[in-house]
């Protein structure tokens, strides 16, 4: 693996990409998800395109190429979905394979999702994470997220709810 990866994102549209997205989410649920028995991921997995497909959402894959003309290696994913809040979307299912963490992929995913959300007409992006996710919390705050009131009912009392305006998405894409 190189010291500096060049990331690419792509919208999930094909059956093959939906399967890759599903496989990544199943890995996420098995290895990283806090209290998976309480998660809505299981319902989402029943019909990913209905939950994360356009026009109300987007699912993306993150990849890199080890060398020019080599096949892309998919290493992560993320999604956005409509919320019950007017003009707000939720950024969800951010996942990077363990061996690629700490190299900037999460920031690329979030910035891409913010731009897609803005292009889809959303005014605000929200997300939830665990209090113990110190690395994620630092990244979200760096990208302009701040604490907001709960925007959904969830049985995990340890969740922190964050949000940000999408008017700042253009300013963040080059930072």
């Amino acid at each position: 693996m190189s010291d500096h990866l060049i990331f690419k994102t792509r919208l999930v549209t094909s059956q093959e990409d939906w399967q890759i997205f599903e496989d990544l989410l199943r890995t996420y649920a098995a290895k990283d998800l806090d209290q998976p028995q309480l998660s809505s991921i299981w319902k989402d997995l029943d019909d990913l395109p209905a939950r994360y497909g356009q026009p109300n959402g987007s699912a993306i894959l993150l990849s890199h190429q080890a060398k020019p003309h080599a096949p892309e290696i998919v290493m992560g994913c993320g999604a956005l979905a409509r919320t019950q809040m007017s003009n707000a979307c939720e950024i969800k299912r951010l996942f990077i394979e363990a061996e690629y963490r700490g190299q900037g992929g999460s920031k690329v995913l979030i910035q891409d999702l913010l731009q897609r959300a803005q292009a889809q007409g959303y005014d605000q992006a929200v997300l939830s994470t665990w209090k113990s996710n110190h690395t994620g919390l630092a990244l979200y705050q760096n990208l302009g997220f701040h604490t907001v009131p709960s925007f959904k009912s969830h049985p995990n009392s340890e969740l922190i709810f964050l949000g940000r305006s999408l008017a700042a998405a253009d300013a963040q894409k080059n930072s």
Side-chain angles (χ1 to χ4, degrees):
M1 182 167 46
S2 70
D3 292 332
H4 181 71
L5 297 178
I6 298 175
F7 300 111
K8 293 182 180 182
T9 58
R10 72 173 183 264
L11 185 65
V12 173
T13 56
S14 70
Q15 276 302 115
E16 180 182 349
D17 282 351
W18 282 112
Q19 185 61 57
I20 293 168
F21 183 61
E22 179 180 337
D23 293 345
L24 286 166
L25 292 185
R26 289 188 184 280
T27 299
Y28 166 66
K31 294 182 178 181
D32 287 348
L33 191 58
D34 185 60
Q35 299 180 349
Q37 72 280 8
L38 300 179
S39 178
S40 62
I41 197 168
W42 309 111
K43 184 179 179 198
D44 293 354
L45 286 165
D46 288 340
D47 191 349
L48 290 171
R51 177 70 168 130
Y52 298 116
Q54 297 198 343
N56 297 321
S58 292
I60 60 172
L61 298 175
L62 179 73
S63 63
H64 80 93
Q65 284 181 286
K67 49 187 152 177
H69 309 294
E72 286 186 11
I73 298 170
V74 176
M75 53 199 281
C77 62
L80 65 90
R82 179 178 298 282
T83 67
Q84 295 178 355
M85 297 169 48
S86 177
N87 293 323
C89 68
E90 182 178 7
I91 293 179
K92 298 182 65 75
R93 311 302 177 216
L94 294 170
F95 175 70
I96 304 284
E97 293 277 10
E99 65 266 28
Y100 297 107
R101 293 180 186 164
Q103 299 182 52
S106 293
K107 183 176 180 180
V108 170
L109 279 172
I110 295 167
Q111 288 175 320
D112 184 289
L113 289 166
L114 291 173
Q115 290 171 28
R116 289 177 191 278
Q118 188 178 39
Q120 287 177 234
Y122 290 108
D123 297 327
Q124 182 181 17
V126 294
L127 59 83
S128 59
T129 192
W130 313 285
K131 291 178 182 177
S132 61
N133 184 5
H134 303 292
T135 302
L137 286 166
L139 175 61
Y140 304 143
Q141 290 169 346
N142 180 270
L143 292 173
F145 284 87
H146 59 279
T147 304
V148 296
S150 172
F151 55 83
K152 64 182 177 181
S153 174
H154 196 282
N156 185 338
S157 63
E158 296 294 309
L159 285 181
I160 295 175
F161 298 94
L162 303 170
R164 63 160 280 177
S165 167
L166 290 174
D170 287 329
Q172 289 290 328
K173 71 181 169 186
N174 293 321
S175 64

